[in-house]
């Protein structure tokens, strides 16, 4: 009998070149002694049907995927089943492909984000939160913030496309209590001077020469400024935050926590502290190399 092909995992998105997930997962596979490889899959929208179609082929070596910008919402339509959290959020960032070649969707971004907030010592209860962006990652963050017991006082959210923002808020409202969400007509309506936490969930900042969406003067020392982007490690948004005396965090911690959960789903074991350390270290090294 021919040898089974080496299992392949990877991340789909566009762009994906900046992703540190290969460094994190390949280091973990090596440490676990798992003969598998994690790759980048840069896919254009027109390639998605073909790519997902081939995943059902019994000869496909792909055992699991991460999904990043801009496909976290779109990828839901290719799933055979999903966890209750994913069902409520309707954005997927981790896919497990079973032996029967069924695609099972998980959202590990949402718990990953919350775990990083805990590390940062930020409790969301009764806080005023401002969010930039209404894409797949905003969906996960907004959804989970509406569901947790540590309920924020308010979540004001602004997006370039009003249509997409309104669609997101009205869709989430069909599956959870979104009473704390206030769609903002403009950045001024976010009331950043009165906020405790400001989160950038847009992809603006991925390129080093990207402008910043907000005026520096709105930032203040009692604000935690969180950018989901982790590569570059310090976007213009975070540089501005530091200049204004605000606490600033990039999304590396979120990436780490969501990655630990994703890997646990793929290999079906609880990772011990040694493997987690290796993953964290691979991320730090990848970012500074
Ligand atoms: P999506 O493609 O789903 O959404 C992109 C968002 O960015 C939309 O709100 C879009 O607005 C906005 N946007 C894009 N370009 C502009 C622009 N020029 N001006 C204003 N707004 C703009 O992406 P995701 O939500 O999946 O991901 C967003 C970012 O978060 C990515 O950089 C991704 O790498 C990062 N991320 C990091 C994670 C981590 O673990 N640290 C986890 C998840 C995401 P519009 O609707 O108007 O187009």
């Amino acid at each position: 009998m021919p040898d089974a092909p080496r299992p392949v995992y990877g991340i789909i998105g566009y762009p994906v070149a900046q992703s540190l997930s290969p460094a994190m997962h390949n280091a973990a596979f090596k440490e676990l002694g798992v003969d598998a490889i994690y790759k980048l899959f840069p896919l254009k929208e027109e390639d998605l049907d073909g790519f997902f179609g081939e995943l059902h082929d019994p000869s496909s070596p792909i055992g699991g995927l991460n999904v990043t910008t801009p496909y976290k919402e779109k990828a839901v339509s290719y799933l055979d089943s999903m966890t209750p959290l994913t069902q409520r959020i309707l954005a997927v960032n981790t896919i497990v492909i079973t032996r029967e070649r069924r695609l099972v969707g998980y959202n590990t971004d949402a718990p990953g984000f919350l775990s990083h907030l805990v590390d940062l010592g930020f409790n969301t209860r009764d806080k005023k939160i401002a969010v930039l962006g209404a894409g797949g990652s905003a969906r996960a963050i907004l959804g989970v913030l509406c569901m947790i017991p540590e309920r924020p006082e308010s979540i004001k959210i602004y997006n370039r496309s009003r249509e997409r923002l309104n669609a997101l808020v009205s869709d989430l409202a069909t599956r959870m209590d979104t009473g704390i969400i206030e769609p903002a007509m403009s950045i001024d309506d976010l009331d950043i001077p009165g906020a405790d936490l400001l989160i950038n969930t847009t992809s603006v900042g991925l390129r080093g020469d990207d402008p910043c969406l907000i005026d520096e003067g709105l930032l203040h020392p009692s604000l935690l400024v969180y950018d989901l982007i982790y590569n570059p490690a310090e976007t213009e948004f975070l540089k501005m935050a530091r200049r204004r005396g605000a606490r600033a965090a990039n999304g590396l911690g979120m990436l780490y926590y969501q990655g630990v959960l994703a890997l646990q789903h793929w290999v079906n074991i609880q990772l011990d502290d040694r493997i987690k350390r290796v993953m964290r270290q691979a991320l730090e090294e990848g970012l500074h190399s």
Side-chain angles (χ1 to χ4, degrees), residues 2-28:
D3 287 346
R6 189 184 195 193
V8 172
Y9 295 82
I11 181 164
I12 65 163
Y14 204 87
V16 286
Q18 78 291 344
S19 174
L20 293 179
S21 291
M24 170 169 61
H25 289 300
N26 285 323

Short mmCIF file of all heavy atoms in Angstrom, two decimals, residues 2-28:
data_model
loop_
_atom_site.label_atom_id
_atom_site.label_comp_id
_atom_site.label_asym_id
_atom_site.label_seq_id
_atom_site.Cartn_x
_atom_site.Cartn_y
_atom_site.Cartn_z
N PRO A 2 0.57 2.25 -0.85
CA PRO A 2 1.42 3.45 -0.84
C PRO A 2 1.30 4.20 0.49
O PRO A 2 0.26 4.13 1.15
CB PRO A 2 0.84 4.30 -1.99
CG PRO A 2 -0.52 3.78 -2.24
CD PRO A 2 -0.57 2.35 -1.76
N ASP A 3 2.39 4.89 0.87
CA ASP A 3 2.35 5.66 2.11
C ASP A 3 1.29 6.76 2.00
O ASP A 3 1.09 7.34 0.93
CB ASP A 3 3.70 6.35 2.34
CG ASP A 3 4.75 5.34 2.77
OD1 ASP A 3 4.35 4.22 3.13
OD2 ASP A 3 5.94 5.69 2.71
N ALA A 4 0.62 7.07 3.14
CA ALA A 4 -0.33 8.19 3.15
C ALA A 4 0.47 9.46 2.94
O ALA A 4 1.60 9.58 3.44
CB ALA A 4 -1.07 8.22 4.48
N PRO A 5 -0.09 10.45 2.19
CA PRO A 5 0.65 11.70 2.01
C PRO A 5 0.81 12.43 3.34
O PRO A 5 0.01 12.25 4.26
CB PRO A 5 -0.22 12.50 1.04
CG PRO A 5 -1.59 11.92 1.14
CD PRO A 5 -1.42 10.48 1.57
N ARG A 6 1.87 13.24 3.42
CA ARG A 6 2.11 14.03 4.64
C ARG A 6 0.94 15.00 4.83
O ARG A 6 0.60 15.76 3.91
CB ARG A 6 3.40 14.80 4.41
CG ARG A 6 3.93 15.50 5.61
CD ARG A 6 5.15 16.30 5.17
NE ARG A 6 5.93 16.73 6.28
CZ ARG A 6 6.89 17.63 6.20
NH1 ARG A 6 7.20 18.17 5.04
NH2 ARG A 6 7.55 17.98 7.26
N PRO A 7 0.31 15.02 6.01
CA PRO A 7 -0.81 15.94 6.22
C PRO A 7 -0.39 17.40 6.06
O PRO A 7 0.69 17.79 6.50
CB PRO A 7 -1.25 15.65 7.65
CG PRO A 7 -0.66 14.34 8.00
CD PRO A 7 0.58 14.18 7.19
N VAL A 8 -1.27 18.14 5.44
CA VAL A 8 -1.01 19.56 5.19
C VAL A 8 -2.07 20.39 5.92
O VAL A 8 -3.26 20.05 5.90
CB VAL A 8 -1.07 19.86 3.67
CG1 VAL A 8 -0.99 21.37 3.41
CG2 VAL A 8 0.04 19.13 2.93
N TYR A 9 -1.62 21.44 6.59
CA TYR A 9 -2.51 22.43 7.19
C TYR A 9 -2.14 23.78 6.58
O TYR A 9 -1.10 23.89 5.92
CB TYR A 9 -2.34 22.46 8.72
CG TYR A 9 -2.77 21.16 9.34
CD1 TYR A 9 -1.90 20.06 9.37
CD2 TYR A 9 -4.05 21.00 9.86
CE1 TYR A 9 -2.30 18.84 9.90
CE2 TYR A 9 -4.45 19.80 10.40
CZ TYR A 9 -3.58 18.72 10.41
OH TYR A 9 -3.99 17.53 10.94
N GLY A 10 -2.95 24.78 6.77
CA GLY A 10 -2.55 26.06 6.19
C GLY A 10 -3.56 27.15 6.43
O GLY A 10 -4.59 26.95 7.08
N ILE A 11 -3.23 28.31 5.90
CA ILE A 11 -4.10 29.48 6.07
C ILE A 11 -4.50 30.01 4.70
O ILE A 11 -3.64 30.20 3.84
CB ILE A 11 -3.42 30.57 6.94
CG1 ILE A 11 -4.35 31.79 7.12
CG2 ILE A 11 -2.08 31.02 6.38
CD1 ILE A 11 -3.93 32.70 8.26
N ILE A 12 -5.81 30.24 4.51
CA ILE A 12 -6.27 30.84 3.27
C ILE A 12 -6.63 32.31 3.53
O ILE A 12 -7.13 32.66 4.61
CB ILE A 12 -7.49 30.10 2.67
CG1 ILE A 12 -8.72 30.20 3.59
CG2 ILE A 12 -7.16 28.65 2.37
CD1 ILE A 12 -10.01 29.85 2.87
N GLY A 13 -6.38 33.14 2.55
CA GLY A 13 -6.71 34.55 2.68
C GLY A 13 -6.04 35.30 1.53
O GLY A 13 -5.41 34.70 0.66
N TYR A 14 -6.19 36.63 1.56
CA TYR A 14 -5.52 37.46 0.56
C TYR A 14 -5.44 38.89 1.06
O TYR A 14 -6.48 39.52 1.19
CB TYR A 14 -6.27 37.40 -0.78
CG TYR A 14 -5.37 37.74 -1.93
CD1 TYR A 14 -4.63 36.76 -2.55
CD2 TYR A 14 -5.25 39.05 -2.37
CE1 TYR A 14 -3.77 37.06 -3.60
CE2 TYR A 14 -4.39 39.36 -3.41
CZ TYR A 14 -3.66 38.37 -4.02
OH TYR A 14 -2.81 38.67 -5.06
N PRO A 15 -4.30 39.40 1.47
CA PRO A 15 -2.99 38.74 1.40
C PRO A 15 -2.76 37.83 2.61
O PRO A 15 -3.42 37.99 3.64
CB PRO A 15 -2.04 39.93 1.45
CG PRO A 15 -2.76 40.95 2.28
CD PRO A 15 -4.23 40.76 2.01
N VAL A 16 -1.82 36.88 2.47
CA VAL A 16 -1.45 36.03 3.62
C VAL A 16 0.05 36.04 3.90
O VAL A 16 0.49 35.46 4.89
CB VAL A 16 -1.89 34.55 3.45
CG1 VAL A 16 -3.37 34.39 3.64
CG2 VAL A 16 -1.44 33.99 2.13
N ALA A 17 0.81 36.69 3.02
CA ALA A 17 2.28 36.64 3.16
C ALA A 17 2.76 37.11 4.53
O ALA A 17 3.78 36.65 5.03
CB ALA A 17 2.93 37.47 2.06
N GLN A 18 1.98 38.03 5.16
CA GLN A 18 2.41 38.60 6.45
C GLN A 18 2.12 37.65 7.62
O GLN A 18 2.53 37.90 8.74
CB GLN A 18 1.70 39.94 6.69
CG GLN A 18 0.25 39.86 7.14
CD GLN A 18 -0.73 39.35 6.08
OE1 GLN A 18 -0.42 39.33 4.91
NE2 GLN A 18 -1.92 38.93 6.49
N SER A 19 1.44 36.54 7.35
CA SER A 19 0.99 35.68 8.45
C SER A 19 2.15 34.99 9.16
O SER A 19 3.08 34.49 8.52
CB SER A 19 0.04 34.60 7.92
OG SER A 19 -0.28 33.71 8.96
N LEU A 20 2.07 34.96 10.49
CA LEU A 20 3.08 34.23 11.28
C LEU A 20 2.56 32.86 11.69
O LEU A 20 3.24 32.14 12.43
CB LEU A 20 3.45 35.05 12.53
CG LEU A 20 4.20 36.36 12.26
CD1 LEU A 20 4.49 37.07 13.58
CD2 LEU A 20 5.50 36.12 11.50
N SER A 21 1.38 32.49 11.22
CA SER A 21 0.84 31.18 11.58
C SER A 21 1.73 30.03 11.13
O SER A 21 1.89 29.05 11.87
CB SER A 21 -0.58 31.02 11.01
OG SER A 21 -1.45 31.89 11.68
N PRO A 22 2.36 30.08 9.93
CA PRO A 22 3.25 28.96 9.56
C PRO A 22 4.38 28.78 10.57
O PRO A 22 4.69 27.65 10.97
CB PRO A 22 3.78 29.36 8.18
CG PRO A 22 2.73 30.26 7.62
CD PRO A 22 2.19 31.02 8.80
N ALA A 23 4.99 29.88 11.01
CA ALA A 23 6.10 29.77 11.97
C ALA A 23 5.61 29.10 13.26
O ALA A 23 6.26 28.19 13.80
CB ALA A 23 6.65 31.17 12.27
N MET A 24 4.44 29.55 13.73
CA MET A 24 3.90 29.03 15.00
C MET A 24 3.54 27.54 14.90
O MET A 24 3.91 26.73 15.75
CB MET A 24 2.66 29.85 15.38
CG MET A 24 1.87 29.29 16.54
SD MET A 24 0.60 30.44 17.14
CE MET A 24 -0.46 30.68 15.73
N HIS A 25 2.81 27.18 13.84
CA HIS A 25 2.32 25.80 13.75
C HIS A 25 3.42 24.81 13.33
O HIS A 25 3.44 23.68 13.82
CB HIS A 25 1.11 25.73 12.83
CG HIS A 25 -0.11 26.36 13.43
ND1 HIS A 25 -0.67 25.91 14.61
CD2 HIS A 25 -0.85 27.44 13.05
CE1 HIS A 25 -1.72 26.67 14.91
NE2 HIS A 25 -1.84 27.61 13.99
N ASN A 26 4.32 25.25 12.45
CA ASN A 26 5.40 24.32 12.07
C ASN A 26 6.32 24.04 13.25
O ASN A 26 6.80 22.92 13.42
CB ASN A 26 6.16 24.86 10.85
CG ASN A 26 5.35 24.67 9.57
OD1 ASN A 26 4.65 23.66 9.42
ND2 ASN A 26 5.40 25.64 8.66
N ALA A 27 6.55 25.05 14.09
CA ALA A 27 7.37 24.83 15.29
C ALA A 27 6.66 23.85 16.23
O ALA A 27 7.29 22.95 16.81
CB ALA A 27 7.61 26.16 16.01
N ALA A 28 5.34 23.98 16.34
CA ALA A 28 4.58 23.08 17.22
C ALA A 28 4.58 21.65 16.68
O ALA A 28 4.76 20.69 17.44
CB ALA A 28 3.15 23.59 17.37
#
